[in-house]
Amino acid sequence: MPSHDVLIIGAGLAGQRAALAAAQAGASVAIISKVHPVRSHSVAAAGGINAAVSVDDDWRSHAYDTVKGSDFLGDQDAIEVMCSEAPKEVLHLEHIGVTFHRNDSGQLDLRAFGGASVKRTAYVADITGQAILHVLYEQLMKHHETVDRYEEWFVTSLIKDDSGACVGVVARDIRTGRMETFAAKSTILASGGAGQAFKPTTNGLICTGDGIAQAYEIGAPLMDMEMIQYHPTTLVENGFLITEGARGEGAHLLNGDGERFMEKYAPNKMELASRDVVSRAEQTEINEGRGAGPNKEGIYLDITVVPKKRTLEALREIVNIGKDFAGVDITEEPILIRPGQHYIMGGVKTDVDGQAPGIPGLYAAGRGRLRLRARRQPPRRELAARHAHLRPPGRRARCGARPARRDARGR
């Protein structure tokens, strides 16, 4: 029976980054993935990664944008950790080989993303996830003596001992069908969301919610399972993701009448309002009969307003997707899109260090969560008071309070 200090289920960006950190700390590590690691769904993360790396930016501004974009429902302790550590993490990724795009002066180039008050998205054209995934896998090769990779193994269940602690998993070798028990002092779930429960979805066929279900079966609490994020721009035909980077480069959204309708819903941010606002606006246009396409079931994403040279440089994969899946040259004509399910915002409940309450030894990680840390965070009210200067004049702190829901106009 294989035994390790740290067992990680899932080999996407979260799983590989956790494995690399654990290996560098001297732990023996096993990483189990039901597909080859570089085929993990993180390969589909296209547009970039947010961090306040610009001299004109500040992590506190990033934190406020994140809190505001979550309708003040986000865990502000976790947001503080994520935003304050993001610049260091992006620079670390670049130092280990991620070829982030640079501008003419040699600095990291940054593009605008929805909900951000400044440009703060570092990117590798529109294949950012793929680029980071390959670099992390390459780095794991350096730790082959302490990191065991079980590629194309499927975890069927988590194991608890008599004291209620998670002590490992049962997994199946997909190629042979052989079952094996893996023992571990700590088990990290990084197996992704449950996108295949929805249609349309940007998620790959492997995103079936295995880790969430397995944790629930052994008594781990779940939270925010109703929080499902829709992405504004997915292909009408199949839900294939059209990166937010397209709007970040200046693409327009047009309804069936040719109107740039976001002016009605978010006149300040336009197409770069937060995803929920843009998705609701699009669906409102479709529901009220102003949709585009033969059946008025979509919205036009007009990338022709972006200089062709820039499109071919920064959105080259989307050019290929348009031709291959929609038969459209996006440099010459708009492409038909609609909102599609993108993120599962909820999952296994954890504290700010990623540990599941009540089940020692079980942790959860993901693109929306944090890698394991070893410091205590301040209480949420203390954090809100510390950053009170970030709130707009007249707005009071809402620590944990649920605000009134916004309509399609974001009000």
Side-chain angles (χ1 to χ4, degrees):
M1 178 175 65
S3 180
H4 299 81
D5 294 327
V6 178
L7 176 63
I8 300 167
I9 306 170
L13 294 183
Q16 289 198 43
R17 184 64 184 89
L20 189 59
Q24 291 171 338
S28 65
V29 182
I31 187 165
I32 300 177
S33 175
K34 62 182 175 183
V35 295
H36 189 277
V38 298
R39 299 285 291 176
S40 300
H41 188 58
S42 295
V43 75
I49 181 171
N50 283 352
V53 295
S54 169
V55 294
D56 300 321
D57 200 1
D58 186 274
W59 74 263
R60 295 168 183 84
S61 175
H62 184 188
Y64 176 70
D65 287 346
T66 305
V67 171
K68 183 172 181 289
S70 72
D71 279 350
F72 290 80
L73 296 176
D75 186 319
Q76 294 182 20
D77 294 348
I79 289 170
E80 181 192 22
V81 177
M82 179 182 73
C83 295
S84 63
E85 293 197 355
K88 179 178 63 178
E89 186 63 24
V90 167
L91 293 178
H92 169 72
L93 290 172
E94 187 191 39
H95 291 166
I96 64 175
V98 179
T99 54
F100 289 115
H101 194 84
R102 289 185 172 272
N103 57 28
D104 293 337
S105 63
Q107 298 175 318
L108 281 179
D109 198 21
L110 302 171
R111 61 168 43 138
F113 253 41
S117 55
V118 299
K119 293 183 178 181
R120 65 165 62 97
T121 305
Y123 63 95
V124 184
D126 53 355
I127 57 167
T128 309
Q130 181 185 29
I132 299 175
L133 200 62
H134 279 261
V135 167
L136 289 178
Y137 189 68
E138 186 179 73
Q139 291 298 308
L140 283 179
M141 299 301 99
K142 298 180 179 179
H143 297 275
H144 61 89
E145 293 182 353
T146 56
V147 178
D148 292 329
R149 304 185 316 279
Y150 295 89
E151 299 165 1
E152 298 184 351
W153 281 71
F154 182 82
V155 172
T156 61
S157 60
L158 303 176
I159 302 172
K160 287 201 304 183
D161 64 11
D162 293 338
S163 68
C166 181
V167 293
V169 305
V170 176
R172 180 191 298 273
D173 183 342
I174 295 173
R175 287 166 290 188
T176 67
R178 179 171 64 91
M179 303 292 288
E180 182 69 84
T181 300
F182 294 80
K185 297 176 182 177
S186 296
T187 301
I188 302 175
L189 290 173
S191 49
Q196 286 304 311
F198 299 86
K199 186 177 182 180
T201 179
T202 64
N203 290 196
L205 294 174
I206 58 175
C207 298
T208 51
D210 310 324
I212 297 173
Q214 290 156 8
Y216 182 72
E217 286 176 351
I218 66 166
L222 308 183
M223 68 180 292
D224 296 336
M225 294 303 293
E226 79 281 13
M227 298 289 188
I228 310 297
Q229 185 195 88
Y230 271 66
H231 197 287
T233 54
T234 76
L235 285 183
V236 165
E237 290 83 355
N238 53 19
F240 206 102
L241 176 66
I242 302 296
T243 175
E244 194 163 324
R247 287 174 289 131
E249 296 295 339
H252 294 172
L253 292 170
L254 307 174
N255 63 20
D257 298 327
E259 298 173 334
R260 194 179 175 191
F261 59 88
M262 283 308 300
E263 187 173 358
K264 296 186 296 184
Y265 300 96
N268 294 326
K269 291 288 189 179
M270 295 294 284
E271 286 83 4
L272 290 177
S274 57
R275 289 176 179 174
D276 61 321
V277 173
V278 180
S279 294
R280 284 199 301 271
E282 291 178 352
Q283 197 61 49
T284 298
E285 293 293 302
I286 294 170
N287 291 349
E288 295 181 357
R290 295 185 295 276
N295 301 313
K296 295 188 176 183
E297 75 276 37
I299 294 293
Y300 284 128
L301 177 67
D302 184 7
I303 307 178
T304 65
V305 296
V306 180
K308 186 172 183 177
K309 179 181 179 181
R310 179 60 179 169
T311 299
L312 295 175
E313 175 187 60
L315 302 170
R316 55 181 183 257
E317 288 303 309
I318 302 304
V319 173
N320 294 332
I321 289 169
K323 291 178 180 178
D324 295 342
F325 292 96
V328 172
D329 182 350
I330 66 170
T331 66
E332 301 291 339
E333 58 181 310
I335 192 169
L336 199 60
I337 56 89
R338 65 174 172 175
Q341 187 277 334
H342 192 49
Y343 280 169
I344 300 292
M345 310 301 288
V348 180
K349 182 178 181 179
T350 71
D351 61 20
V352 77
D353 294 317
Q355 182 164 7
I359 304 184
L362 180 63
Y363 299 82
R367 289 176 62 191
R369 297 185 183 271
L370 306 171
R371 56 193 173 85
L372 298 184
R373 308 182 75 261
R375 74 178 180 92
R376 179 176 175 81
Q377 296 301 309
R380 187 175 300 174
R381 292 189 181 277
E382 179 186 330
L383 176 67
R386 183 189 306 173
H387 298 148
H389 65 286
L390 297 177
R391 295 190 296 274
R395 183 185 289 274
R396 64 182 180 86
R398 292 197 276 189
C399 301
R402 182 176 292 271
R405 293 192 180 277
R406 293 185 291 180
D407 61 16
R409 298 171 184 262
R411 295 172 179 168

